Amino acid sequence: MVALMICAIQRQWGAAATFAALLAGFVATDVVLWQGYLIKQQIAFSTYLDLDKEWNSNEMIKARQAVHAPGSEGWDHSRLEGILEFFEKLASMFKLSGDMPFIYQSTLGWYAAQYFLFAREHGQIKYLRDLWQDDLYEDLEDLYRFYVINEVGRGHKAQKAWEAKRLRTETKFWEQERKD
């Protein structure tokens, strides 16, 4: 911009035209990048809304109601896998979208953290990984870590306290999941 003004003041029209074209190019590039960013956010939000609709579907509600009974050791592995795979989709979207806060700050982010914590603490994540001999739910595990860090920070003690607090609410969580 300064070079353009200096060239114009000195009446060097050829150089001024070159700098004006460069400036216009930079502005156009900024506009295109900004539009790309907005489109990326719109697609992520639209995908999030589709996931929210799936989470509240009759099929998913039935799975949530039957995946684990409060106070029991029994888990319906088929339903648990379906729920964890759903959250893996959410976590993958989060990873690909590049830290869009509405994903982990949402109700779905909260549920993802609860399901991962409870399944992990009861050995279900390890069980499914051993069963399929695969590193399942890695994106979900990354989202869980990110979620906890954003809730309480990086301190190990604070994270363990947060997990302990969540685990004290587990029975109530499963009772709520079983309601109509």
Side-chain angles (χ1 to χ4, degrees):
M1 184 71 146
V2 173
L4 173 62
M5 290 177 13
I6 291 170
C7 289
I9 291 170
Q10 294 178 356
R11 297 179 187 237
Q12 295 177 357
W13 303 117
T18 300
F19 285 119
L22 282 171
L23 181 61
F26 288 135
V27 169
T29 300
D30 265 355
V31 168
V32 168
L33 291 174
W34 177 66
Q35 287 176 331
Y37 172 76
L38 289 178
I39 289 170
K40 181 180 172 182
Q41 280 191 318
Q42 289 172 337
I43 290 170
F45 192 69
S46 176
T47 303
Y48 173 83
L49 291 176
D50 290 342
L51 288 172
D52 187 63
K53 184 187 268 185
E54 182 181 344
W55 179 247
N56 291 303
S57 70
N58 288 334
E59 183 180 313
M60 188 62 83
I61 290 171
K62 287 178 186 173
R64 291 163 53 191
Q65 289 174 333
V67 70
H68 181 67
S72 79
E73 293 298 317
W75 291 77
D76 184 326
H77 291 111
S78 175
R79 292 187 175 174
L80 179 61
E81 282 183 281
I83 291 169
L84 293 175
E85 286 170 12
F86 168 82
F87 287 128
E88 185 74 359
K89 285 190 285 188
L90 178 74
S92 296
M93 183 184 84
F94 176 72
K95 191 175 261 187
L96 291 172
S97 68
D99 185 19
M100 292 192 178
F102 71 84
I103 296 170
Y104 67 85
Q105 292 174 348
S106 69
T107 302
L108 288 180
W110 183 85
Y111 272 105
Q114 308 312 300
Y115 268 90
F116 183 83
L117 173 64
F118 299 149
R120 185 193 71 194
E121 289 301 307
H122 291 284
Q124 299 307 304
I125 300 292
K126 182 180 180 339
Y127 170 81
L128 292 170
R129 286 176 175 169
D130 290 346
L131 176 69
W132 296 109
Q133 298 178 358
D134 201 354
D135 292 328
L136 302 173
Y137 316 119
E138 286 184 335
D139 286 348
L140 177 55
E141 189 169 10
D142 291 343
L143 176 62
Y144 174 78
R145 280 193 218 108
F146 187 89
Y147 183 90
V148 173
I149 287 169
N150 280 282
E151 283 291 305
V152 296
R154 295 189 180 276
H156 182 71
K157 197 173 192 177
Q159 289 178 3
K160 287 298 178 189
W162 181 87
E163 286 180 344
K165 181 179 177 184
R166 299 287 8 115
L167 289 168
R168 285 192 300 272
T169 68
E170 183 180 7
T171 299
K172 186 174 184 172
F173 176 86
W174 293 120
E175 288 170 356
Q176 292 298 316
E177 285 293 88
R178 294 178 79 80
K179 287 186 176 182
D180 289 333

